Amino acid sequence: MINNSNNPADHRLPLLALRGLVLFPGMTLHFDVGRKKSILALNAAMGDLQEIFLVAQRDVRIDDPTPQDLYEIGVIAKIKQVLRMPGDNIRIVVEGVRRARIEQLVQVEPYFVADLRLCRERRSMDLEYAMALIREAQEGFSEYAELSGKTAPDVVMEVMAAEEPGYLADYIAFNIMLKTEEKQMLLSDLIPFHRLESLIALLRRENDVLELEHQIQERVQSQMDQNQREYYLREQLKVIAQELGDGDNPQEEAEVYRDRIQALNLPEETADKLTKEAGRLFKMPSGSHEASVIRSYLDTCLDLPWNKATKDHIDLTAARRILDRDHYGMEKVKERILEILAVRKLAPDVKGQIICLAGPPGVGKTSIAKSVAKALGRKYVRLSLGGVKDEADIRGHRKTYIGAMPGRIISAIHTAGVNNPLILLDEVDKLANDFRGDPSAALLEVLDSEQNNTFRDHYIEVPFDLSHVLFLTTANDVGAIPGPLYDRMEVIRLGSYTQEEKFHIAKEHLIPQERKRHGLNGRTLKFDDAAIHDLIGGYTREAGVRGLNREIASLCRKAAKIIAGEEAKSVSVTSSNLEELLGPKRFRRENDGRKDEVGVVTGLAWTSVGGETMPVEVAVMDGVGKVELTGSLGNVMKESARAAVSYIRAHADVLGVERDFYKTKDIHIHVPEGAVPKDGPSAGVTITTALVSALTGIPVKGDVAMTGEITLRGRVIPIGGLKEKTMAALRSGIKTVVIPMDNQPDLAELSDTVRENLHFVPADRLETVLETALTVRPQPIKPKEKKEIATIPAGQGASLGGRVESPC
């Protein structure tokens, strides 16, 4: 509450707060009253002396001002007229009487009531200075009235007739355009000379502004006249060209381009750039090479869908039906896709969702992107980025080069015909770079929702909004994606298919598609369920179904040949004739040929094409302690082998190994296939188990596989890629899988088929791994007891095959 003094007040009146208005003494003001608190104050004032205190509020945006929102000095006004308007508004006419200061607010609700103290002006006796100020103010106002052209003649006459400095300052301030703060400053100044000096300074500023406005208007008018002149000259050029009979008329083409630019309602920067290019074409002679470059540029830019878009029609039930129809299984992936669609339905303007579908080849990443486009009702465009090395492939070439064209992103927008398609960036992990630039760096802007709304292709040279585009990317190995690019994407992982899932995919999707593609049907080509299982297990070894699709296509071709040659009317594929049609089986199924062996352990590896089994072989021979590592091992696997040797040396007595084996025996560690590079931190337990088996002569169970890394203390530490590794174990007929204890929560992510058919042994120490994998528990060596170390000739121990490219 405002309280300036303890002295008794001169007046107590209702207070009305003005928004954007300042009243001066002796001036008449009419305004509308609409706020409830203001109407109540007005009603209270009408009941007494019909006087009310008017004061401006500091911020016009505040609808219900508090005492702190009001200026201290206002004007006591006499209410002259009250007119009720339609609705709740009231229009009043008031006349300012005297300046007054708020001494104290005695009431705030339901309306303001204030104790007021009258403000007394301090006058000066310097009459000559007063006359000089008055003349200066009158000249300034006369110039203002002439420049503005909106001042009434009677106002000018009143100013010229005024002789009192304070009244003249108030009258001029009330009748010119000033900010509320500036008018309040003049109202609060109680020295007339000071008030008039301040007003003169404000008048000079306003006159300068008005002078600039006049200059701007003159320039605009001149430009309009110039444009009109150019229009007439262009029309004359058209007539001259027609009279001369020129075939190509750049002037006429330029006008057509200008009309197209205006019709597209483009952003100002884009419209100016294209209009400028059309103006250059207008000045080109007929047949100019530069003219053809400009035509190509304008055609490319104007054909882009600047304002064309499809409307999303998101129906989660229909989307679920589309996903189930096009893909078998993959429940978690489908749920994640439906969550994305649900968010887009509730928040259509959501941005920043760049989805990366990561998984081995052939698991349906591209087809999922097509299904998402169908579910959204968007246009679908696929861009293959595999092997792209040139940054210009993404951003385009400058139009100054011969044969220049836009980049792949803008070309995809042009192909789609709308500015919000679904663009699939396929194989984003296969991008390369060379001296021509790094295309992955060019994608950083494309896949950043904070930047891609002003994406500039080098060819079109104007910003194009990509924020409405839904970008999906696919990758086999997310580790090959550069960090800044990976950070912009939300990764959805697609795992390998189980045998059962492959069976249903083949029966419900692949076989019907290949029948139709080869002109067959269910009557002319039949597949037995057992034959499908044999086809999956005996002729394919993959994470996806691409190889399986090729084998089915091969069977369809053979059936088509038989039927077209009229050798038979129909063909049935069964287990008995499968080898007759496709040849001998390429892979052994289940546990065929797997047996317990010394120094041979089945490890599990993750690769960019899915999980694989990775046999590790160890041979121990008499020697001088040399350790040989072969099989194209990387540095990480070599370190795992050294850690394994050190662990066995530290625990030789407990493991039943001679303490001096590292001096008397040569050790050869080999990981087939030798030509395939291998590396990664998950082979420690496999190498250690194989070493213990070879040094003790205890065989390793053939149906046990393992994964995990060890420390020098024998602790088993967690690894990644468990889902893919367990799928490989299931394909290879493994029964028991040893995993790190810390990876036990990851078992919940595995499919039901894997959990039902594999026995998992979580291990936090190497002792658990050895107890599970070895056929016999190693017997510790007693003091002074010696034990012969079984040696295995190099080369003994069959490799289980399986191609591994990047185990980890």
Side-chain angles (χ1 to χ4, degrees), residues 604-647:
L604 298 175
W606 178 90
T607 74
S608 61
V609 295
E612 293 288 348
T613 56
M614 183 183 67
V616 175
E617 300 176 351
V618 174
V620 177
M621 300 151 286
D622 292 332
V624 294
K626 181 180 179 182
V627 178
E628 184 88 18
L629 301 172
T630 57
S632 297
L633 304 184
N635 290 331
V636 177
M637 288 191 69
K638 289 179 181 178
E639 291 176 0
S640 296
R642 296 189 186 99
V645 173
S646 297
Y647 173 80

mmCIF file of all heavy atoms in Angstrom, residues 604-647:
data_model
loop_
_atom_site.group_PDB
_atom_site.id
_atom_site.type_symbol
_atom_site.label_atom_id
_atom_site.label_comp_id
_atom_site.label_asym_id
_atom_site.label_seq_id
_atom_site.Cartn_x
_atom_site.Cartn_y
_atom_site.Cartn_z
ATOM 1 N N LEU A 604 30.878 -67.794 -28.197
ATOM 2 C CA LEU A 604 29.790 -67.108 -28.899
ATOM 3 C C LEU A 604 30.260 -65.698 -29.239
ATOM 4 O O LEU A 604 30.878 -65.016 -28.412
ATOM 5 C CB LEU A 604 28.529 -67.052 -28.037
ATOM 6 C CG LEU A 604 27.924 -68.410 -27.667
ATOM 7 C CD1 LEU A 604 26.760 -68.208 -26.708
ATOM 8 C CD2 LEU A 604 27.463 -69.158 -28.912
ATOM 9 N N ALA A 605 29.958 -65.262 -30.455
ATOM 10 C CA ALA A 605 30.415 -63.953 -30.921
ATOM 11 C C ALA A 605 29.265 -63.189 -31.540
ATOM 12 O O ALA A 605 28.318 -63.777 -32.067
ATOM 13 C CB ALA A 605 31.545 -64.119 -31.938
ATOM 14 N N TRP A 606 29.362 -61.861 -31.445
ATOM 15 C CA TRP A 606 28.393 -60.983 -32.105
ATOM 16 C C TRP A 606 29.054 -60.360 -33.319
ATOM 17 O O TRP A 606 30.200 -59.901 -33.256
ATOM 18 C CB TRP A 606 27.940 -59.883 -31.151
ATOM 19 C CG TRP A 606 26.986 -58.924 -31.787
ATOM 20 C CD1 TRP A 606 25.632 -58.997 -31.825
ATOM 21 C CD2 TRP A 606 27.330 -57.715 -32.503
ATOM 22 N NE1 TRP A 606 25.103 -57.944 -32.506
ATOM 23 C CE2 TRP A 606 26.120 -57.135 -32.945
ATOM 24 C CE3 TRP A 606 28.523 -57.101 -32.828
ATOM 25 C CZ2 TRP A 606 26.083 -55.965 -33.668
ATOM 26 C CZ3 TRP A 606 28.498 -55.922 -33.557
ATOM 27 C CH2 TRP A 606 27.272 -55.364 -33.963
ATOM 28 N N THR A 607 28.355 -60.364 -34.450
ATOM 29 C CA THR A 607 28.847 -59.715 -35.668
ATOM 30 C C THR A 607 27.769 -58.799 -36.201
ATOM 31 O O THR A 607 26.626 -58.828 -35.745
ATOM 32 C CB THR A 607 29.224 -60.759 -36.752
ATOM 33 O OG1 THR A 607 28.015 -61.291 -37.304
ATOM 34 C CG2 THR A 607 30.053 -61.883 -36.173
ATOM 35 N N SER A 608 28.129 -58.014 -37.189
ATOM 36 C CA SER A 608 27.162 -57.079 -37.767
ATOM 37 C C SER A 608 26.063 -57.792 -38.531
ATOM 38 O O SER A 608 25.067 -57.184 -38.910
ATOM 39 C CB SER A 608 27.881 -56.096 -38.706
ATOM 40 O OG SER A 608 28.491 -56.790 -39.766
ATOM 41 N N VAL A 609 26.237 -59.092 -38.796
ATOM 42 C CA VAL A 609 25.201 -59.855 -39.504
ATOM 43 C C VAL A 609 24.535 -60.844 -38.568
ATOM 44 O O VAL A 609 23.908 -61.804 -38.999
ATOM 45 C CB VAL A 609 25.794 -60.585 -40.732
ATOM 46 C CG1 VAL A 609 26.274 -59.602 -41.752
ATOM 47 C CG2 VAL A 609 26.934 -61.513 -40.323
ATOM 48 N N GLY A 610 24.655 -60.655 -37.261
ATOM 49 C CA GLY A 610 24.003 -61.532 -36.302
ATOM 50 C C GLY A 610 25.016 -62.248 -35.431
ATOM 51 O O GLY A 610 26.215 -61.976 -35.447
ATOM 52 N N GLY A 611 24.526 -63.192 -34.626
ATOM 53 C CA GLY A 611 25.395 -63.956 -33.754
ATOM 54 C C GLY A 611 26.013 -65.144 -34.478
ATOM 55 O O GLY A 611 25.460 -65.657 -35.449
ATOM 56 N N GLU A 612 27.180 -65.575 -33.991
ATOM 57 C CA GLU A 612 27.873 -66.720 -34.569
ATOM 58 C C GLU A 612 28.539 -67.507 -33.450
ATOM 59 O O GLU A 612 28.880 -66.954 -32.400
ATOM 60 C CB GLU A 612 28.946 -66.265 -35.581
ATOM 61 C CG GLU A 612 28.406 -65.617 -36.837
ATOM 62 C CD GLU A 612 27.734 -66.599 -37.778
ATOM 63 O OE1 GLU A 612 27.892 -67.818 -37.559
ATOM 64 O OE2 GLU A 612 27.048 -66.154 -38.715
ATOM 65 N N THR A 613 28.714 -68.815 -33.698
ATOM 66 C CA THR A 613 29.542 -69.604 -32.793
ATOM 67 C C THR A 613 31.007 -69.424 -33.192
ATOM 68 O O THR A 613 31.319 -69.285 -34.370
ATOM 69 C CB THR A 613 29.160 -71.086 -32.869
ATOM 70 O OG1 THR A 613 29.261 -71.531 -34.226
ATOM 71 C CG2 THR A 613 27.745 -71.309 -32.348
ATOM 72 N N MET A 614 31.874 -69.425 -32.194
ATOM 73 C CA MET A 614 33.294 -69.179 -32.444
ATOM 74 C C MET A 614 34.117 -70.220 -31.686
ATOM 75 O O MET A 614 34.405 -70.053 -30.497
ATOM 76 C CB MET A 614 33.681 -67.773 -31.994
ATOM 77 C CG MET A 614 35.140 -67.397 -32.271
ATOM 78 S SD MET A 614 35.542 -65.759 -31.646
ATOM 79 C CE MET A 614 35.397 -66.026 -29.884
ATOM 80 N N PRO A 615 34.472 -71.347 -32.326
ATOM 81 C CA PRO A 615 35.288 -72.356 -31.637
ATOM 82 C C PRO A 615 36.696 -71.838 -31.385
ATOM 83 O O PRO A 615 37.291 -71.161 -32.219
ATOM 84 C CB PRO A 615 35.285 -73.530 -32.618
ATOM 85 C CG PRO A 615 35.035 -72.910 -33.947
ATOM 86 C CD PRO A 615 34.148 -71.728 -33.708
ATOM 87 N N VAL A 616 37.211 -72.139 -30.220
ATOM 88 C CA VAL A 616 38.581 -71.787 -29.845
ATOM 89 C C VAL A 616 39.338 -73.089 -29.607
ATOM 90 O O VAL A 616 38.896 -73.941 -28.823
ATOM 91 C CB VAL A 616 38.614 -70.896 -28.587
ATOM 92 C CG1 VAL A 616 40.058 -70.647 -28.141
ATOM 93 C CG2 VAL A 616 37.913 -69.568 -28.851
ATOM 94 N N GLU A 617 40.469 -73.269 -30.282
ATOM 95 C CA GLU A 617 41.274 -74.479 -30.159
ATOM 96 C C GLU A 617 42.604 -74.141 -29.497
ATOM 97 O O GLU A 617 43.231 -73.126 -29.826
ATOM 98 C CB GLU A 617 41.543 -75.089 -31.540
ATOM 99 C CG GLU A 617 40.268 -75.468 -32.284
ATOM 100 C CD GLU A 617 40.560 -75.983 -33.686
ATOM 101 O OE1 GLU A 617 41.730 -75.885 -34.117
ATOM 102 O OE2 GLU A 617 39.620 -76.460 -34.340
ATOM 103 N N VAL A 618 43.033 -75.021 -28.584
ATOM 104 C CA VAL A 618 44.315 -74.843 -27.893
ATOM 105 C C VAL A 618 45.096 -76.157 -27.988
ATOM 106 O O VAL A 618 44.552 -77.233 -27.691
ATOM 107 C CB VAL A 618 44.124 -74.440 -26.419
ATOM 108 C CG1 VAL A 618 45.478 -74.403 -25.703
ATOM 109 C CG2 VAL A 618 43.442 -73.089 -26.313
ATOM 110 N N ALA A 619 46.337 -76.079 -28.392
ATOM 111 C CA ALA A 619 47.234 -77.232 -28.435
ATOM 112 C C ALA A 619 48.435 -76.953 -27.532
ATOM 113 O O ALA A 619 48.990 -75.852 -27.556
ATOM 114 C CB ALA A 619 47.692 -77.510 -29.864
ATOM 115 N N VAL A 620 48.809 -77.974 -26.710
ATOM 116 C CA VAL A 620 49.943 -77.845 -25.798
ATOM 117 C C VAL A 620 51.024 -78.830 -26.243
ATOM 118 O O VAL A 620 50.748 -80.024 -26.440
ATOM 119 C CB VAL A 620 49.521 -78.121 -24.342
ATOM 120 C CG1 VAL A 620 50.734 -78.056 -23.421
ATOM 121 C CG2 VAL A 620 48.471 -77.118 -23.911
ATOM 122 N N MET A 621 52.228 -78.339 -26.406
ATOM 123 C CA MET A 621 53.342 -79.155 -26.893
ATOM 124 C C MET A 621 54.569 -78.903 -26.032
ATOM 125 O O MET A 621 54.675 -77.860 -25.380
ATOM 126 C CB MET A 621 53.654 -78.803 -28.355
ATOM 127 C CG MET A 621 52.471 -79.030 -29.297
ATOM 128 S SD MET A 621 52.497 -77.915 -30.719
ATOM 129 C CE MET A 621 51.995 -76.380 -29.977
ATOM 130 N N ASP A 622 55.487 -79.890 -26.012
ATOM 131 C CA ASP A 622 56.745 -79.677 -25.304
ATOM 132 C C ASP A 622 57.502 -78.523 -25.962
ATOM 133 O O ASP A 622 57.546 -78.406 -27.192
ATOM 134 C CB ASP A 622 57.600 -80.957 -25.359
ATOM 135 C CG ASP A 622 56.973 -82.075 -24.541
ATOM 136 O OD1 ASP A 622 56.258 -81.750 -23.577
ATOM 137 O OD2 ASP A 622 57.186 -83.257 -24.892
ATOM 138 N N GLY A 623 58.084 -77.696 -25.150
ATOM 139 C CA GLY A 623 58.798 -76.555 -25.702
ATOM 140 C C GLY A 623 59.465 -75.746 -24.622
ATOM 141 O O GLY A 623 59.843 -76.264 -23.561
ATOM 142 N N VAL A 624 59.516 -74.452 -24.860
ATOM 143 C CA VAL A 624 60.242 -73.552 -23.958
ATOM 144 C C VAL A 624 59.339 -72.419 -23.429
ATOM 145 O O VAL A 624 59.829 -71.391 -23.003
ATOM 146 C CB VAL A 624 61.459 -72.954 -24.682
ATOM 147 C CG1 VAL A 624 62.481 -74.029 -25.003
ATOM 148 C CG2 VAL A 624 61.033 -72.212 -25.948
ATOM 149 N N GLY A 625 58.040 -72.609 -23.476
ATOM 150 C CA GLY A 625 57.129 -71.590 -22.941
ATOM 151 C C GLY A 625 56.654 -70.567 -23.948
ATOM 152 O O GLY A 625 56.203 -69.490 -23.578
ATOM 153 N N LYS A 626 56.724 -70.906 -25.208
ATOM 154 C CA LYS A 626 56.284 -69.974 -26.250
ATOM 155 C C LYS A 626 54.759 -70.028 -26.393
ATOM 156 O O LYS A 626 54.169 -71.107 -26.365
ATOM 157 C CB LYS A 626 56.955 -70.337 -27.570
ATOM 158 C CG LYS A 626 56.593 -69.416 -28.710
ATOM 159 C CD LYS A 626 57.310 -69.844 -29.995
ATOM 160 C CE LYS A 626 56.945 -68.949 -31.161
ATOM 161 N NZ LYS A 626 57.601 -69.380 -32.414
ATOM 162 N N VAL A 627 54.102 -68.869 -26.522
ATOM 163 C CA VAL A 627 52.646 -68.784 -26.716
ATOM 164 C C VAL A 627 52.385 -68.259 -28.115
ATOM 165 O O VAL A 627 52.807 -67.147 -28.461
ATOM 166 C CB VAL A 627 51.973 -67.880 -25.671
ATOM 167 C CG1 VAL A 627 50.480 -67.784 -25.950
ATOM 168 C CG2 VAL A 627 52.225 -68.402 -24.270
ATOM 169 N N GLU A 628 51.704 -69.061 -28.936
ATOM 170 C CA GLU A 628 51.406 -68.693 -30.318
ATOM 171 C C GLU A 628 49.920 -68.355 -30.423
ATOM 172 O O GLU A 628 49.058 -69.115 -29.964
ATOM 173 C CB GLU A 628 51.734 -69.880 -31.235
ATOM 174 C CG GLU A 628 51.556 -69.582 -32.711
ATOM 175 C CD GLU A 628 52.810 -68.996 -33.339
ATOM 176 O OE1 GLU A 628 53.889 -69.124 -32.744
ATOM 177 O OE2 GLU A 628 52.691 -68.406 -34.414
ATOM 178 N N LEU A 629 49.595 -67.208 -31.041
ATOM 179 C CA LEU A 629 48.201 -66.773 -31.236
ATOM 180 C C LEU A 629 47.946 -66.627 -32.726
ATOM 181 O O LEU A 629 48.613 -65.834 -33.388
ATOM 182 C CB LEU A 629 47.945 -65.437 -30.532
ATOM 183 C CG LEU A 629 48.178 -65.397 -29.015
ATOM 184 C CD1 LEU A 629 48.066 -63.978 -28.502
ATOM 185 C CD2 LEU A 629 47.167 -66.291 -28.303
ATOM 186 N N THR A 630 47.029 -67.402 -33.259
ATOM 187 C CA THR A 630 46.703 -67.317 -34.687
ATOM 188 C C THR A 630 45.202 -67.220 -34.865
ATOM 189 O O THR A 630 44.423 -67.487 -33.951
ATOM 190 C CB THR A 630 47.231 -68.556 -35.438
ATOM 191 O OG1 THR A 630 46.679 -69.737 -34.847
ATOM 192 C CG2 THR A 630 48.752 -68.631 -35.395
ATOM 193 N N GLY A 631 44.821 -66.851 -36.085
ATOM 194 C CA GLY A 631 43.391 -66.694 -36.396
ATOM 195 C C GLY A 631 42.980 -65.259 -36.615
ATOM 196 O O GLY A 631 41.820 -64.913 -36.424
ATOM 197 N N SER A 632 43.945 -64.388 -37.016
ATOM 198 C CA SER A 632 43.654 -62.965 -37.269
ATOM 199 C C SER A 632 43.013 -62.300 -36.057
ATOM 200 O O SER A 632 41.968 -61.652 -36.146
ATOM 201 C CB SER A 632 42.750 -62.802 -38.503
ATOM 202 O OG SER A 632 43.389 -63.258 -39.656
ATOM 203 N N LEU A 633 43.639 -62.499 -34.889
ATOM 204 C CA LEU A 633 43.080 -61.945 -33.661
ATOM 205 C C LEU A 633 43.452 -60.475 -33.506
ATOM 206 O O LEU A 633 44.570 -60.069 -33.825
ATOM 207 C CB LEU A 633 43.602 -62.722 -32.451
ATOM 208 C CG LEU A 633 43.363 -64.228 -32.460
ATOM 209 C CD1 LEU A 633 43.839 -64.841 -31.151
ATOM 210 C CD2 LEU A 633 41.901 -64.554 -32.702
ATOM 211 N N GLY A 634 42.503 -59.711 -32.994
ATOM 212 C CA GLY A 634 42.759 -58.308 -32.714
ATOM 213 C C GLY A 634 43.455 -58.127 -31.379
ATOM 214 O O GLY A 634 43.684 -59.079 -30.616
ATOM 215 N N ASN A 635 43.779 -56.886 -31.063
ATOM 216 C CA ASN A 635 44.525 -56.601 -29.834
ATOM 217 C C ASN A 635 43.746 -56.993 -28.587
ATOM 218 O O ASN A 635 44.319 -57.463 -27.606
ATOM 219 C CB ASN A 635 44.875 -55.112 -29.777
ATOM 220 C CG ASN A 635 45.909 -54.732 -30.816
ATOM 221 O OD1 ASN A 635 46.736 -55.560 -31.204
ATOM 222 N ND2 ASN A 635 45.866 -53.486 -31.280
ATOM 223 N N VAL A 636 42.432 -56.800 -28.609
ATOM 224 C CA VAL A 636 41.631 -57.098 -27.418
ATOM 225 C C VAL A 636 41.646 -58.593 -27.131
ATOM 226 O O VAL A 636 41.799 -59.030 -25.979
ATOM 227 C CB VAL A 636 40.189 -56.584 -27.602
ATOM 228 C CG1 VAL A 636 39.333 -56.952 -26.397
ATOM 229 C CG2 VAL A 636 40.185 -55.080 -27.803
ATOM 230 N N MET A 637 41.506 -59.435 -28.171
ATOM 231 C CA MET A 637 41.518 -60.878 -27.963
ATOM 232 C C MET A 637 42.907 -61.366 -27.562
ATOM 233 O O MET A 637 43.047 -62.312 -26.772
ATOM 234 C CB MET A 637 41.038 -61.599 -29.221
ATOM 235 C CG MET A 637 39.548 -61.448 -29.472
ATOM 236 S SD MET A 637 38.921 -62.536 -30.750
ATOM 237 C CE MET A 637 39.065 -64.133 -29.946
ATOM 238 N N LYS A 638 43.951 -60.722 -28.063
ATOM 239 C CA LYS A 638 45.299 -61.094 -27.649
ATOM 240 C C LYS A 638 45.503 -60.788 -26.163
ATOM 241 O O LYS A 638 46.125 -61.579 -25.429
ATOM 242 C CB LYS A 638 46.322 -60.339 -28.485
ATOM 243 C CG LYS A 638 46.403 -60.809 -29.941
ATOM 244 C CD LYS A 638 47.427 -59.986 -30.725
ATOM 245 C CE LYS A 638 47.486 -60.455 -32.189
ATOM 246 N NZ LYS A 638 48.440 -59.656 -32.993
ATOM 247 N N GLU A 639 44.961 -59.685 -25.725
ATOM 248 C CA GLU A 639 45.052 -59.341 -24.308
ATOM 249 C C GLU A 639 44.267 -60.334 -23.455
ATOM 250 O O GLU A 639 44.685 -60.696 -22.354
ATOM 251 C CB GLU A 639 44.554 -57.924 -24.075
ATOM 252 C CG GLU A 639 45.472 -56.857 -24.653
ATOM 253 C CD GLU A 639 44.906 -55.454 -24.487
ATOM 254 O OE1 GLU A 639 43.803 -55.347 -23.931
ATOM 255 O OE2 GLU A 639 45.570 -54.500 -24.921
ATOM 256 N N SER A 640 43.107 -60.793 -23.968
ATOM 257 C CA SER A 640 42.331 -61.806 -23.250
ATOM 258 C C SER A 640 43.135 -63.088 -23.103
ATOM 259 O O SER A 640 43.107 -63.751 -22.049
ATOM 260 C CB SER A 640 41.020 -62.082 -23.982
ATOM 261 O OG SER A 640 40.204 -60.936 -24.003
ATOM 262 N N ALA A 641 43.863 -63.486 -24.156
ATOM 263 C CA ALA A 641 44.682 -64.697 -24.101
ATOM 264 C C ALA A 641 45.801 -64.542 -23.076
ATOM 265 O O ALA A 641 46.089 -65.477 -22.300
ATOM 266 C CB ALA A 641 45.251 -64.992 -25.485
ATOM 267 N N ARG A 642 46.451 -63.388 -23.021
ATOM 268 C CA ARG A 642 47.514 -63.177 -22.048
ATOM 269 C C ARG A 642 46.960 -63.205 -20.617
ATOM 270 O O ARG A 642 47.598 -63.750 -19.704
ATOM 271 C CB ARG A 642 48.212 -61.844 -22.318
ATOM 272 C CG ARG A 642 48.938 -61.782 -23.669
ATOM 273 C CD ARG A 642 49.782 -60.520 -23.767
ATOM 274 N NE ARG A 642 50.348 -60.388 -25.103
ATOM 275 C CZ ARG A 642 49.842 -59.614 -26.062
ATOM 276 N NH1 ARG A 642 48.749 -58.893 -25.816
ATOM 277 N NH2 ARG A 642 50.415 -59.544 -27.247
ATOM 278 N N ALA A 643 45.763 -62.590 -20.450
ATOM 279 C CA ALA A 643 45.138 -62.610 -19.119
ATOM 280 C C ALA A 643 44.798 -64.037 -18.713
ATOM 281 O O ALA A 643 44.919 -64.407 -17.529
ATOM 282 C CB ALA A 643 43.881 -61.734 -19.117
ATOM 283 N N ALA A 644 44.359 -64.855 -19.667
ATOM 284 C CA ALA A 644 44.025 -66.247 -19.364
ATOM 285 C C ALA A 644 45.264 -67.012 -18.904
ATOM 286 O O ALA A 644 45.224 -67.779 -17.933
ATOM 287 C CB ALA A 644 43.404 -66.903 -20.599
ATOM 288 N N VAL A 645 46.393 -66.834 -19.600
ATOM 289 C CA VAL A 645 47.639 -67.515 -19.211
ATOM 290 C C VAL A 645 48.065 -67.079 -17.821
ATOM 291 O O VAL A 645 48.458 -67.893 -16.970
ATOM 292 C CB VAL A 645 48.744 -67.235 -20.251
ATOM 293 C CG1 VAL A 645 50.080 -67.788 -19.773
ATOM 294 C CG2 VAL A 645 48.371 -67.842 -21.595
ATOM 295 N N SER A 646 47.970 -65.784 -17.541
ATOM 296 C CA SER A 646 48.371 -65.277 -16.227
ATOM 297 C C SER A 646 47.470 -65.832 -15.136
ATOM 298 O O SER A 646 47.939 -66.181 -14.044
ATOM 299 C CB SER A 646 48.332 -63.743 -16.219
ATOM 300 O OG SER A 646 49.260 -63.213 -17.139
ATOM 301 N N TYR A 647 46.189 -65.936 -15.401
ATOM 302 C CA TYR A 647 45.276 -66.482 -14.391
ATOM 303 C C TYR A 647 45.625 -67.944 -14.084
ATOM 304 O O TYR A 647 45.648 -68.363 -12.915
ATOM 305 C CB TYR A 647 43.826 -66.380 -14.892
ATOM 306 C CG TYR A 647 42.842 -67.082 -13.974
ATOM 307 C CD1 TYR A 647 42.399 -66.457 -12.812
ATOM 308 C CD2 TYR A 647 42.391 -68.362 -14.251
ATOM 309 C CE1 TYR A 647 41.520 -67.104 -11.948
ATOM 310 C CE2 TYR A 647 41.517 -69.016 -13.407
ATOM 311 C CZ TYR A 647 41.085 -68.384 -12.253
ATOM 312 O OH TYR A 647 40.215 -69.035 -11.403
#
